[in-house]
Amino acid sequence: MLLLGSVAGAQAQAVTESQILDALAPRAQTRSLSTSVRGDGGGDDRAFIDTLRNRNSFSASEREKIAAASADRPSVDLEIPFDYNSAKIGPKALSVIKSLGAALARPELKGSTFLIVGHTDGKGKDLTNQALSERRAEAVKQYIVHNYGVPGGNLVAVGYGRSRLKDAANPLSPANRRVTAVNMSGVKSASRY
């Protein structure tokens, strides 16, 4: 997973469309007698991902299944400076979300399915944080759909609340209030079989 975002204090590092595109592009492995598609969302994973489209709330078991299905996929962790207890996309967050939207709209990623994953810091109750993380993911999804023409069915918004802190040693850190994008579409990989 590529991590992009602030390094020190509240100053967010500029994240470019190109960096996001590089992080989310499927990686082709070249050593092979034949090429097959692995992790393409085929079979059970594809059917499961298809059930997630156009939904904005998932059970705990579905969230765990999503996490397992996305574990080895190309992803980028973006520090989006949401205000405390807010899913509003403010001026500080806009440049990062614009870079993400522009990358997801690129021809190289057209037709891919992406998870837009929301997270919160560790303050507050589990249910409150879960709902907030879902609203953050949905806000980013809707901004991209409305401003970059990415079909809503290609973006699955899911929230993990405070269950997956980026800075577990400092649960109240603003760095935990972030969004991760994961490319759930095909990854061409080499196979000898």
Side-chain angles (χ1 to χ4, degrees):
M1 175 181 337
L2 179 65
L3 301 175
L4 300 172
S6 71
V7 176
Q11 277 295 355
Q13 176 183 351
V15 179
T16 68
E17 174 185 340
S18 178
Q19 289 171 312
I20 294 170
L21 180 64
D22 288 346
L24 293 176
R27 311 261 183 313
Q29 296 179 357
T30 57
R31 202 181 90 181
S32 169
L33 296 176
S34 66
T35 302
S36 64
V37 176
R38 285 193 193 158
D40 66 345
D44 292 340
D45 279 350
R46 183 179 189 98
F48 174 64
I49 296 300
D50 285 345
T51 68
L52 305 177
R53 297 179 192 278
N54 301 312
R55 292 178 51 200
N56 58 10
S57 186
F58 304 98
S59 70
S61 63
E62 287 173 318
R63 288 192 304 272
E64 289 308 311
K65 191 171 180 181
I66 292 167
S70 65
D72 295 329
R73 306 292 178 127
S75 64
V76 61
D77 193 21
L78 301 168
E79 288 187 21
I80 297 179
F82 288 105
D83 288 335
Y84 175 73
N85 200 26
S86 175
K88 182 180 177 189
I89 297 173
K92 292 178 186 174
L94 206 49
S95 67
V96 177
I97 295 171
K98 284 182 175 182
S99 292
L100 177 60
L104 297 184
R106 295 275 299 263
E108 299 94 309
L109 297 178
K110 186 174 184 162
S112 296
T113 300
F114 295 93
L115 295 179
I116 305 297
V117 185
H119 303 273
T120 65
D121 63 27
K123 188 172 184 177
K125 296 181 181 188
D126 286 341
L127 289 177
T128 302
N129 280 313
Q130 180 60 41
L132 178 59
S133 66
E134 291 171 0
R135 289 194 320 270
R136 286 179 175 165
E138 188 65 26
V140 171
K141 172 185 173 177
Q142 291 305 319
Y143 185 89
I144 292 169
V145 166
H146 293 293
N147 292 284
Y148 291 91
V150 176
N154 290 2
L155 302 177
V156 176
V158 61
Y160 284 102
R162 63 182 185 176
S163 67
R164 299 179 187 277
L165 297 174
K166 181 176 181 176
D167 185 357
N170 186 5
L172 303 181
S173 170
N176 292 313
R177 302 191 295 260
R178 69 195 194 284
V179 168
T180 304
V182 183
N183 187 343
M184 296 301 290
S185 294
V187 178
K188 291 189 177 182
S189 64
S191 173
R192 294 180 192 214
Y193 307 103

